[in-house]
Amino acid sequence: MTAGLIFIWVHKLIQADIVRFMSTIDCKYVENLVWFKKSINNMHLDEPSPYISSTKEILLMFKKGEGFELRHQRSADVIIDFQVPRDEWIADDYTEPKPVGVYDMIETLLPKALYNDTLHRGRLLELWAKKQSHNREGWVALHEKKSIPDADNQELIKGEDPMVLDG
């Protein structure tokens, strides 16, 4: 990549490691967005962690190179939103669905990336997109097919780790 933005979801325990690594590939830290997670009963989540409990995920934003329009964020840097229960997505996806407001913020930052007349498509790429996510104009979304036998699927829903990857 010669120029662009990279957005990476991290937990606070590895945030400094990610910033150091991105610096080694000439990506400069720009901004972050915090997703404060709430459960469906409107209580903040208190997820277990090896050292301290966690109620948030952090989206780190890095810039590499020049030559693209980057607008000011113009939106809050904290999103308070509900976490989708694990049993609703674990059978199809490796990571949990993120709030829609995150995509809105990225599209605000990069308005000219939404559609390229030469390519006849957008220039925003989401890796490990959700199988059930809605197609957003300007985005190319890649989803890795996840195939899990029924017995293993029940284990995952209960919070266990066995996974069988398809191809």
Side-chain angles (χ1 to χ4, degrees):
M1 176 177 86
T2 58
L5 287 179
I6 299 173
F7 300 84
I8 303 173
W9 284 102
V10 301
H11 291 277
K12 59 187 167 187
L13 294 175
I14 62 168
Q15 184 176 349
D17 295 330
I18 298 297
V19 171
R20 277 191 292 275
F21 171 77
M22 294 304 287
S23 149
T24 66
I25 58 171
D26 297 324
C27 292
K28 295 178 175 61
Y29 171 80
V30 175
E31 181 66 79
N32 71 66
L33 177 130
V34 172
W35 171 23
F36 181 80
K37 298 178 182 182
K38 295 188 95 175
S39 64
I40 56 175
N41 66 358
N42 207 26
M43 300 295 293
H44 76 274
L45 290 176
D46 194 11
E47 296 179 336
S49 179
Y51 305 108
I52 48 182
S53 63
S54 175
T55 58
K56 66 181 180 182
E57 278 191 55
I58 304 162
L59 181 66
L60 297 177
M61 302 170 217
F62 298 91
K63 177 183 175 184
K64 183 169 184 169
E66 301 295 330
F68 57 92
E69 179 184 354
L70 177 62
R71 288 192 180 166
H72 185 269
Q73 189 170 329
R74 297 186 182 127
S75 57
D77 57 0
V78 175
I79 293 177
I80 300 172
D81 203 350
F82 297 99
Q83 182 180 45
V84 177
R86 181 180 174 116
D87 62 345
E88 291 183 21
W89 56 265
I90 193 67
D92 294 323
D93 295 305
Y94 292 105
T95 60
E96 65 189 308
K98 306 302 188 227
V100 173
V102 173
Y103 299 94
D104 296 336
M105 181 271 306
I106 293 171
E107 292 166 1
T108 300
L109 282 173
L110 298 164
K112 291 185 178 178
L114 286 177
Y115 190 79
N116 181 292
D117 289 327
T118 307
L119 298 173
H120 302 291
R121 64 170 172 78
R123 298 184 300 170
L124 297 169
L125 173 66
E126 180 179 13
L127 301 176
W128 298 285
K130 306 299 150 231
K131 182 177 182 181
Q132 300 300 324
S133 66
H134 301 287
N135 292 336
R136 292 182 70 96
E137 186 175 346
W139 288 80
V140 174
L142 301 177
H143 171 78
E144 182 176 355
K145 183 179 178 185
K146 183 175 181 183
S147 175
I148 302 174
D150 289 337
D152 288 344
N153 189 25
Q154 293 308 312
E155 295 293 322
L156 283 171
I157 290 171
K158 294 175 189 170
E160 302 295 327
D161 285 333
M163 280 197 234
V164 177
L165 302 178
D166 184 1

mmCIF file of all heavy atoms in Angstrom, residues 51-69:
data_model
loop_
_atom_site.group_PDB
_atom_site.id
_atom_site.type_symbol
_atom_site.label_atom_id
_atom_site.label_comp_id
_atom_site.label_asym_id
_atom_site.label_seq_id
_atom_site.Cartn_x
_atom_site.Cartn_y
_atom_site.Cartn_z
ATOM 1 N N TYR A 51 -6.191 -9.353 33.040
ATOM 2 C CA TYR A 51 -5.722 -8.457 34.104
ATOM 3 C C TYR A 51 -6.825 -7.535 34.621
ATOM 4 O O TYR A 51 -6.995 -7.371 35.809
ATOM 5 C CB TYR A 51 -4.554 -7.616 33.607
ATOM 6 C CG TYR A 51 -3.443 -8.472 33.063
ATOM 7 C CD1 TYR A 51 -3.194 -8.526 31.709
ATOM 8 C CD2 TYR A 51 -2.665 -9.264 33.906
ATOM 9 C CE1 TYR A 51 -2.186 -9.328 31.193
ATOM 10 C CE2 TYR A 51 -1.667 -10.078 33.407
ATOM 11 C CZ TYR A 51 -1.432 -10.094 32.047
ATOM 12 O OH TYR A 51 -0.446 -10.891 31.550
ATOM 13 N N ILE A 52 -7.561 -6.910 33.703
ATOM 14 C CA ILE A 52 -8.611 -5.976 34.086
ATOM 15 C C ILE A 52 -9.829 -6.225 33.209
ATOM 16 O O ILE A 52 -9.711 -6.643 32.072
ATOM 17 C CB ILE A 52 -8.133 -4.508 33.932
ATOM 18 C CG1 ILE A 52 -7.481 -4.305 32.574
ATOM 19 C CG2 ILE A 52 -7.211 -4.105 35.036
ATOM 20 C CD1 ILE A 52 -6.929 -2.934 32.326
ATOM 21 N N SER A 53 -11.007 -5.974 33.746
ATOM 22 C CA SER A 53 -12.210 -6.227 32.960
ATOM 23 C C SER A 53 -12.329 -5.205 31.838
ATOM 24 O O SER A 53 -11.720 -4.143 31.872
ATOM 25 C CB SER A 53 -13.444 -6.197 33.854
ATOM 26 O OG SER A 53 -13.588 -4.916 34.410
ATOM 27 N N SER A 54 -13.130 -5.549 30.844
ATOM 28 C CA SER A 54 -13.222 -4.709 29.650
ATOM 29 C C SER A 54 -14.677 -4.477 29.280
ATOM 30 O O SER A 54 -15.470 -5.410 29.238
ATOM 31 C CB SER A 54 -12.496 -5.399 28.500
ATOM 32 O OG SER A 54 -12.659 -4.669 27.311
ATOM 33 N N THR A 55 -15.020 -3.228 28.997
ATOM 34 C CA THR A 55 -16.360 -2.898 28.533
ATOM 35 C C THR A 55 -16.304 -2.213 27.181
ATOM 36 O O THR A 55 -17.295 -1.691 26.702
ATOM 37 C CB THR A 55 -17.070 -1.947 29.523
ATOM 38 O OG1 THR A 55 -16.275 -0.782 29.662
ATOM 39 C CG2 THR A 55 -17.280 -2.601 30.859
ATOM 40 N N LYS A 56 -15.124 -2.199 26.563
ATOM 41 C CA LYS A 56 -15.002 -1.462 25.311
ATOM 42 C C LYS A 56 -14.044 -2.145 24.347
ATOM 43 O O LYS A 56 -13.243 -2.990 24.727
ATOM 44 C CB LYS A 56 -14.502 -0.046 25.572
ATOM 45 C CG LYS A 56 -13.069 -0.011 26.105
ATOM 46 C CD LYS A 56 -12.613 1.392 26.384
ATOM 47 C CE LYS A 56 -11.186 1.381 26.917
ATOM 48 N NZ LYS A 56 -10.716 2.694 27.252
ATOM 49 N N GLU A 57 -14.178 -1.759 23.075
ATOM 50 C CA GLU A 57 -13.193 -2.087 22.051
ATOM 51 C C GLU A 57 -12.743 -0.771 21.444
ATOM 52 O O GLU A 57 -13.499 0.200 21.416
ATOM 53 C CB GLU A 57 -13.790 -2.981 20.962
ATOM 54 C CG GLU A 57 -13.821 -4.434 21.342
ATOM 55 C CD GLU A 57 -14.174 -5.321 20.165
ATOM 56 O OE1 GLU A 57 -13.484 -5.250 19.115
ATOM 57 O OE2 GLU A 57 -15.134 -6.078 20.294
ATOM 58 N N ILE A 58 -11.545 -0.759 20.936
ATOM 59 C CA ILE A 58 -10.956 0.465 20.403
ATOM 60 C C ILE A 58 -10.643 0.264 18.927
ATOM 61 O O ILE A 58 -10.018 -0.727 18.547
ATOM 62 C CB ILE A 58 -9.662 0.821 21.167
ATOM 63 C CG1 ILE A 58 -9.951 0.941 22.659
ATOM 64 C CG2 ILE A 58 -9.038 2.098 20.615
ATOM 65 C CD1 ILE A 58 -8.726 0.859 23.531
ATOM 66 N N LEU A 59 -11.082 1.203 18.108
ATOM 67 C CA LEU A 59 -10.758 1.199 16.683
ATOM 68 C C LEU A 59 -9.627 2.195 16.480
ATOM 69 O O LEU A 59 -9.819 3.407 16.601
ATOM 70 C CB LEU A 59 -11.975 1.596 15.844
ATOM 71 C CG LEU A 59 -11.753 1.613 14.331
ATOM 72 C CD1 LEU A 59 -11.492 0.201 13.804
ATOM 73 C CD2 LEU A 59 -12.938 2.233 13.625
ATOM 74 N N LEU A 60 -8.425 1.681 16.200
ATOM 75 C CA LEU A 60 -7.278 2.555 15.938
ATOM 76 C C LEU A 60 -7.240 2.892 14.459
ATOM 77 O O LEU A 60 -7.500 2.038 13.613
ATOM 78 C CB LEU A 60 -5.972 1.868 16.341
ATOM 79 C CG LEU A 60 -5.808 1.537 17.819
ATOM 80 C CD1 LEU A 60 -4.491 0.797 18.047
ATOM 81 C CD2 LEU A 60 -5.895 2.776 18.678
ATOM 82 N N MET A 61 -6.887 4.141 14.143
ATOM 83 C CA MET A 61 -6.820 4.601 12.759
ATOM 84 C C MET A 61 -5.394 5.045 12.453
ATOM 85 O O MET A 61 -4.813 5.819 13.201
ATOM 86 C CB MET A 61 -7.774 5.772 12.551
ATOM 87 C CG MET A 61 -9.205 5.437 12.878
ATOM 88 S SD MET A 61 -10.236 6.903 12.889
ATOM 89 C CE MET A 61 -11.321 6.492 14.241
ATOM 90 N N PHE A 62 -4.878 4.526 11.359
ATOM 91 C CA PHE A 62 -3.515 4.840 10.928
ATOM 92 C C PHE A 62 -3.535 5.367 9.500
ATOM 93 O O PHE A 62 -4.355 4.942 8.686
ATOM 94 C CB PHE A 62 -2.629 3.592 10.991
ATOM 95 C CG PHE A 62 -2.485 3.035 12.371
ATOM 96 C CD1 PHE A 62 -3.358 2.060 12.832
ATOM 97 C CD2 PHE A 62 -1.490 3.484 13.211
ATOM 98 C CE1 PHE A 62 -3.242 1.544 14.110
ATOM 99 C CE2 PHE A 62 -1.351 2.971 14.498
ATOM 100 C CZ PHE A 62 -2.237 1.997 14.947
ATOM 101 N N LYS A 63 -2.600 6.253 9.200
ATOM 102 C CA LYS A 63 -2.482 6.833 7.866
ATOM 103 C C LYS A 63 -1.113 6.476 7.304
ATOM 104 O O LYS A 63 -0.108 6.533 8.000
ATOM 105 C CB LYS A 63 -2.621 8.350 7.954
ATOM 106 C CG LYS A 63 -2.433 9.060 6.647
ATOM 107 C CD LYS A 63 -2.527 10.572 6.844
ATOM 108 C CE LYS A 63 -2.226 11.276 5.540
ATOM 109 N NZ LYS A 63 -2.209 12.725 5.697
ATOM 110 N N LYS A 64 -1.106 6.127 6.025
ATOM 111 C CA LYS A 64 0.161 5.889 5.338
ATOM 112 C C LYS A 64 0.148 6.692 4.049
ATOM 113 O O LYS A 64 -0.796 6.604 3.264
ATOM 114 C CB LYS A 64 0.352 4.411 5.019
ATOM 115 C CG LYS A 64 1.704 4.138 4.354
ATOM 116 C CD LYS A 64 1.996 2.668 4.273
ATOM 117 C CE LYS A 64 3.382 2.475 3.687
ATOM 118 N NZ LYS A 64 3.835 1.115 3.815
ATOM 119 N N GLY A 65 1.194 7.482 3.832
ATOM 120 C CA GLY A 65 1.318 8.234 2.595
ATOM 121 C C GLY A 65 0.435 9.458 2.540
ATOM 122 O O GLY A 65 -0.205 9.847 3.503
ATOM 123 N N GLU A 66 0.408 10.061 1.366
ATOM 124 C CA GLU A 66 -0.362 11.282 1.117
ATOM 125 C C GLU A 66 -1.201 11.074 -0.144
ATOM 126 O O GLU A 66 -1.207 10.016 -0.728
ATOM 127 C CB GLU A 66 0.595 12.470 0.924
ATOM 128 C CG GLU A 66 1.511 12.739 2.107
ATOM 129 C CD GLU A 66 0.774 13.182 3.359
ATOM 130 O OE1 GLU A 66 -0.293 13.824 3.243
ATOM 131 O OE2 GLU A 66 1.249 12.868 4.456
ATOM 132 N N GLY A 67 -1.890 12.134 -0.567
ATOM 133 C CA GLY A 67 -2.585 12.086 -1.844
ATOM 134 C C GLY A 67 -4.036 11.663 -1.775
ATOM 135 O O GLY A 67 -4.608 11.255 -2.775
ATOM 136 N N PHE A 68 -4.656 11.736 -0.614
ATOM 137 C CA PHE A 68 -6.078 11.438 -0.513
ATOM 138 C C PHE A 68 -6.703 12.417 0.466
ATOM 139 O O PHE A 68 -6.052 12.932 1.351
ATOM 140 C CB PHE A 68 -6.346 9.984 -0.096
ATOM 141 C CG PHE A 68 -5.706 9.590 1.207
ATOM 142 C CD1 PHE A 68 -6.388 9.711 2.397
ATOM 143 C CD2 PHE A 68 -4.413 9.090 1.231
ATOM 144 C CE1 PHE A 68 -5.793 9.356 3.594
ATOM 145 C CE2 PHE A 68 -3.816 8.709 2.411
ATOM 146 C CZ PHE A 68 -4.507 8.852 3.606
ATOM 147 N N GLU A 69 -7.985 12.685 0.248
ATOM 148 C CA GLU A 69 -8.686 13.629 1.103
ATOM 149 C C GLU A 69 -9.121 12.941 2.384
ATOM 150 O O GLU A 69 -9.773 11.904 2.364
ATOM 151 C CB GLU A 69 -9.919 14.198 0.397
ATOM 152 C CG GLU A 69 -10.688 15.174 1.257
ATOM 153 C CD GLU A 69 -11.959 15.677 0.600
ATOM 154 O OE1 GLU A 69 -12.202 15.369 -0.578
ATOM 155 O OE2 GLU A 69 -12.707 16.373 1.290
#
